[in-house]
Amino acid sequence: MIISKTTRELSPYVAGEQPHDKKYIKLNTNENPYPPSERVKQAISQASNTELRLYPDPQCTELRKVLAKKEGVAPQNIFCGNGSDEVLFTACAAFFRGFSPALADITYSFYPVFCKLLGIAPATVKLKPDYSIDFAAFTAVAQNNGAILVNPNAPTTKSESVSDILALVKSTKNAVLVDEAYIDFASVPSLAPQVLNYDNLIVVKTFSKSYSLAGIRCGYAVASPQAITALECIRDSFNSYTVNTVTQAAATAAVLDDDYHQKTIAAVKQGRADVIARLSAVSRDVRVVTPDSDTNFYLLSCRNYTAEQIYAALRERGCLVRVLNAVAPAVRVTVGTAKQNAVVVSAVADMLNHD
Amino acid sequence: MIISKTTRELSPYVAGEQPHDKKYIKLNTNENPYPPSERVKQAISQASNTELRLYPDPQCTELRKVLAKKEGVAPQNIFCGNGSDEVLFTACAAFFRGFSPALADITYSFYPVFCKLLGIAPATVKLKPDYSIDFAAFTAVAQNNGAILVNPNAPTTKSESVSDILALVKSTKNAVLVDEAYIDFASVPSLAPQVLNYDNLIVVKTFSKSYSLAGIRCGYAVASPQAITALECIRDSFNSYTVNTVTQAAATAAVLDDDYHQKTIAAVKQGRADVIARLSAVSRDVRVVTPDSDTNFYLLSCRNYTAEQIYAALRERGCLVRVLNAVAPAVRVTVGTAKQNAVVVSAVADMLNHD
């Protein structure tokens, strides 16, 4: 059969392994080590008794209402999707076709993939030597093309300041898309409330990280009503009902249990500080490349080891991590529970002793 | 802010109303009037206790296994998505960019919308005067471009024969995409097993109609392994995990309860025969435009009434239907339960008596 040329030329995103056996401590896709709120479980059970024969509420009315309250905006500032990847793709389709948005050379690797599918050629802008964003270079491109950035950036784990990002937003009438997948673990605040001041700022968030709900697929954008209308226009050109009834109920319950959310975030941040300190103390040959990580993961190098060797050694010892050589020869390790983090520390020590 | 030209020029699909109050008998979006299987409810409750903190299985392993068994194919012949609309969009992106696929002038109105978003200009082919597909004209276009069709067709409710569609499939090396959203209510068999013989045949099905699961969003394609790989390539260019964990569990349970599925289908078909007979008996002024409907809906006309007038009169009497003037000045009415169908019959009789 004939497959179209545009399809043959794609290089799809490769997600982390999702092993079916349970023998690994899974620290390779930046999931949350803690379970979701009990109220989420109840909401899902209850949703099984709702009228699932009917299409979902395409407006996600309840979910948008609670998200608006949480973010300090109005429901018409919220757009929900089937995971933040879908929301980001929708935003690229809505705002960047016909433009070459600024994109850091080291960033979430799904962006170039979205762009390729959509026929968008982003303008790659190098990070500075300290892995921070070069705002002068970014602004030069963004002025007439907009920009895509992730704050804190993945995989560098570094945050940029609100004032630097807002200066970029002010410099252009094109969209500035800020992916805040990891913002709840960061030392900087979310830009979400700023959408009330800047109609070209689009902030995207996810339930997959701090809410421990990667399995339900839900993400959302916070933006001006005109930007939200553009997102809806794209969505309604490929799938009118992207967020199913059960996911809407689960996500709503998660937002309403703010106490649990805050506790989980605090636990992950504490775990991050502990594991980075303990790893750094293992030996002079161990280097946490991102000692000040603002995300729920860190990059780990070991002198005389390639990333692939560290990956294999940790896998052999029951820890699944991901090779990520963009910043240094390193593996990317998700922050786990105290127990899981201890296994990582032992595994690294054991690897070094073994040789 | 600047919204790209391609976005401004879109005309998104407009789905049927989803009223939030419950005062209407909702017969406007071809949902199933019967609830899903009890086993689905149990599966959803159980899924609330699984590790929702983890990303879903991107391969939908269990679901593809049970679907393969049901369709008489292998798991590598199955691709799952977030509702069949997403699967259809993915297929358009995979197979039709750079081509002008044949598309009937009267068909599911989401197709031109998908195509517009993707920069595809389909070649519109007129239906014959009896609203069947003009296969000679279709083949002439499809030879070098492929084709998109819905069998049975919506909104005409008419099925085409397996032999006619297979002749079309044989005439081209391009993809022939057959949307079988309503096939379980039809008098013709599914083409799904034929994907083992034709690598360019892509059959798409949904859980939203015969399985009573519009609320969970699940659809799937049955096709050759090379076609499935192309679909996966597109999916992994916009969202690696389109089918969430709960939906995978719910859909799997639905497929496994085949007895219930068959009973529901039989009940809808019986209801369809009954309501069409009773409406046709109301008065000589009432015409069921589609007396031999092969779908779970029918088109209804009344002499001296516009579709908009029938819509308003039925709405006033508690029945929500949809104006659909493509075939005749008519409303499209979903087959309901016996009780719901009786309300439609009374409402139509009352409307006529009222004047």
Side-chain angles (χ1 to χ4, degrees):
Chain A
M1 78 170 302
I2 296 170
I3 308 284
S4 77
K5 186 162 169 287
T6 40
T7 300
R8 280 181 279 122
E9 286 173 352
L10 294 173
S11 308
Y13 179 73
V14 180
E17 298 165 80
Q18 295 287 342
H20 289 229
D21 56 52
K22 296 288 174 193
K23 74 178 190 191
Y24 295 106
I25 295 176
K26 196 171 170 303
L27 302 173
N28 67 329
T29 51
N30 299 343
E31 289 142 336
N32 198 307
Y34 301 104
S37 156
E38 280 298 320
R39 287 170 66 172
V40 169
K41 298 185 191 180
Q42 289 161 20
I44 293 174
S45 278
Q46 280 163 17
S48 72
N49 286 314
T50 58
E51 292 211 274
L52 296 176
R53 68 179 189 85
L54 301 178
Y55 283 98
D57 171 9
Q59 314 303 337
C60 303
T61 310
E62 274 307 299
L63 177 55
R64 287 169 72 204
K65 204 189 287 177
V66 299
L67 284 172
K69 195 172 169 201
K70 174 195 143 151
E71 301 290 358
V73 298
Q76 60 264 41
N77 294 113
I78 306 282
F79 170 87
C80 298
N82 183 34
S84 64
D85 285 338
E86 186 185 84
V87 176
L88 295 167
F89 165 76
T90 304
C92 287
F95 305 118
F96 298 127
R97 293 203 292 176
F99 298 99
S100 292
L103 184 67
D105 62 338
I106 302 178
T107 190
Y108 182 35
S109 57
F110 216 146
Y111 279 110
V113 179
F114 297 144
C115 287
K116 177 100 187 189
L117 179 62
L118 292 163
I120 297 163
T124 304
V125 179
K126 280 204 170 190
L127 291 182
K128 292 204 273 194
D130 69 350
Y131 299 109
S132 66
I133 286 182
D134 182 341
F135 276 99
F138 238 72
T139 302
V141 174
Q143 273 176 342
N144 297 309
N145 291 278
I148 303 171
L149 55 96
V150 190
N151 197 50
N153 196 7
T156 68
T157 78
K158 274 194 112 118
S159 296
E160 302 295 341
S161 74
V162 167
S163 58
D164 280 343
I165 299 175
L166 286 183
L168 176 69
V169 171
K170 281 181 232 181
S171 76
T172 176
K173 286 185 173 162
N174 286 81
V176 175
L177 180 58
V178 182
D179 179 354
E180 291 191 340
Y182 299 101
I183 196 74
D184 290 330
F185 307 114
S187 53
V188 296
S190 171
L191 283 164
Q194 298 293 340
V195 305
L196 300 177
N197 304 319
Y198 303 99
D199 65 6
N200 62 328
L201 169 64
I202 293 97
V203 177
V204 175
K205 298 194 172 190
T206 180
F207 283 85
S208 299
K209 308 299 178 189
S210 66
Y211 281 110
S212 309
L213 282 170
I216 68 160
R217 309 306 292 131
C218 195
Y220 60 102
V222 189
S224 62
Q226 56 268 53
I228 297 295
T229 300
L231 293 171
E232 289 171 342
C233 179
I234 299 292
R235 177 197 62 201
D236 293 344
S237 295
F238 75 90
N239 194 359
S240 310
Y241 307 96
T242 58
V243 187
N244 72 84
T245 303
V246 180
T247 291
Q248 288 186 36
T252 303
V255 176
L256 290 174
D257 196 352
D258 190 51
D259 275 0
Y260 183 81
H261 187 221
Q262 296 307 329
K263 269 183 213 160
T264 311
I265 293 167
V268 170
K269 286 165 90 168
Q270 184 62 54
R272 177 178 68 195
D274 291 347
V275 73
I276 289 176
R278 293 186 58 195
L279 279 167
S280 306
V282 165
S283 140
R284 286 170 53 194
D285 292 337
V286 174
R287 183 165 81 95
V288 176
V289 184
T290 57
D292 303 314
S293 169
D294 249 0
T295 62
N296 70 337
F297 63 88
Y298 52 93
L299 299 178
L300 175 71
S301 285
C302 296
R303 195 196 306 259
N304 302 325
Y305 287 81
T306 65
E308 289 72 15
Q309 286 170 325
I310 307 171
Y311 164 84
L314 288 177
R315 189 179 172 109
E316 209 170 281
R317 289 162 178 84
C319 299
L320 208 57
V321 300
R322 196 162 185 189
V323 169
L324 228 156
N325 283 320
V327 176
V331 292
R332 189 190 71 183
V333 189
T334 308
V335 175
T337 60
K339 206 171 153 185
Q340 292 172 330
N341 295 335
V343 176
V344 173
V345 176
S346 307
V348 170
D350 190 57
M351 173 185 84
L352 295 174
N353 289 335
H354 191 74
D355 294 325
Chain B
M1 76 170 304
I2 295 170
I3 309 283
S4 76
K5 187 163 170 283
T6 41
T7 301
R8 282 182 276 119
E9 287 173 353
L10 293 174
S11 308
Y13 180 73
V14 180
E17 299 165 80
Q18 297 286 343
H20 288 230
D21 57 52
K22 295 288 174 192
K23 74 179 192 190
Y24 294 105
I25 295 177
K26 194 169 172 303
L27 302 173
N28 67 330
T29 50
N30 300 342
E31 289 142 336
N32 198 308
Y34 301 104
S37 156
E38 279 299 320
R39 287 171 65 173
V40 169
K41 298 185 192 179
Q42 289 161 20
I44 292 173
S45 278
Q46 281 163 17
S48 71
N49 285 314
T50 59
E51 293 210 274
L52 295 176
R53 70 180 187 84
L54 300 178
Y55 283 99
D57 171 9
Q59 314 301 338
C60 302
T61 310
E62 274 308 298
L63 177 55
R64 287 169 74 204
K65 203 189 286 179
V66 300
L67 284 172
K69 195 173 169 200
K70 176 195 142 152
E71 301 292 357
V73 298
Q76 59 264 40
N77 294 112
I78 305 283
F79 170 88
C80 299
N82 184 34
S84 64
D85 285 339
E86 185 185 85
V87 177
L88 295 166
F89 166 76
T90 304
C92 287
F95 304 119
F96 298 128
R97 292 202 292 176
F99 299 99
S100 292
L103 185 66
D105 61 338
I106 303 177
T107 190
Y108 182 35
S109 57
F110 216 146
Y111 279 109
V113 178
F114 296 144
C115 288
K116 177 99 187 189
L117 179 62
L118 292 162
I120 298 164
T124 305
V125 179
K126 280 203 168 188
L127 292 182
K128 292 205 273 195
D130 69 349
Y131 298 109
S132 64
I133 285 181
D134 183 340
F135 276 99
F138 238 72
T139 303
V141 173
Q143 274 176 340
N144 297 309
N145 292 279
I148 303 171
L149 54 96
V150 191
N151 197 48
N153 196 5
T156 68
T157 78
K158 275 192 110 116
S159 296
E160 301 296 342
S161 72
V162 167
S163 59
D164 279 344
I165 299 175
L166 286 184
L168 176 70
V169 172
K170 281 180 231 181
S171 76
T172 176
K173 285 186 173 161
N174 286 83
V176 175
L177 181 59
V178 183
D179 179 355
E180 291 191 340
Y182 299 102
I183 195 73
D184 290 330
F185 307 114
S187 52
V188 295
S190 169
L191 283 164
Q194 298 293 340
V195 304
L196 300 178
N197 304 319
Y198 303 99
D199 66 5
N200 61 328
L201 169 63
I202 292 96
V203 177
V204 175
K205 299 194 170 190
T206 180
F207 283 86
S208 299
K209 308 298 179 189
S210 66
Y211 280 109
S212 309
L213 283 170
I216 68 159
R217 309 306 292 133
C218 194
Y220 61 102
V222 190
S224 62
Q226 57 267 53
I228 297 295
T229 300
L231 293 171
E232 289 171 343
C233 179
I234 299 293
R235 177 197 62 200
D236 294 344
S237 295
F238 75 90
N239 194 359
S240 310
Y241 307 95
T242 57
V243 187
N244 71 84
T245 302
V246 180
T247 290
Q248 289 187 35
T252 302
V255 176
L256 290 174
D257 197 351
D258 189 53
D259 275 1
Y260 183 81
H261 187 220
Q262 296 307 329
K263 269 183 213 159
T264 310
I265 292 167
V268 170
K269 286 165 90 169
Q270 184 62 54
R272 176 177 70 195
D274 291 347
V275 73
I276 288 176
R278 293 186 59 194
L279 279 167
S280 306
V282 164
S283 141
R284 286 170 52 194
D285 291 337
V286 176
R287 183 164 81 94
V288 176
V289 184
T290 58
D292 304 315
S293 169
D294 248 1
T295 62
N296 70 337
F297 63 88
Y298 52 93
L299 299 178
L300 176 71
S301 284
C302 296
R303 196 195 306 261
N304 302 326
Y305 287 81
T306 65
E308 289 73 14
Q309 287 170 325
I310 307 172
Y311 165 84
L314 288 177
R315 188 179 172 110
E316 208 171 280
R317 289 162 179 85
C319 300
L320 207 57
V321 300
R322 194 161 187 191
V323 169
L324 227 154
N325 283 320
V327 175
V331 291
R332 190 190 70 183
V333 190
T334 307
V335 175
T337 60
K339 206 171 154 187
Q340 292 172 329
N341 294 335
V343 176
V344 173
V345 175
S346 307
V348 170
D350 190 57
M351 172 185 85
L352 295 174
N353 288 334
H354 192 73
D355 293 325

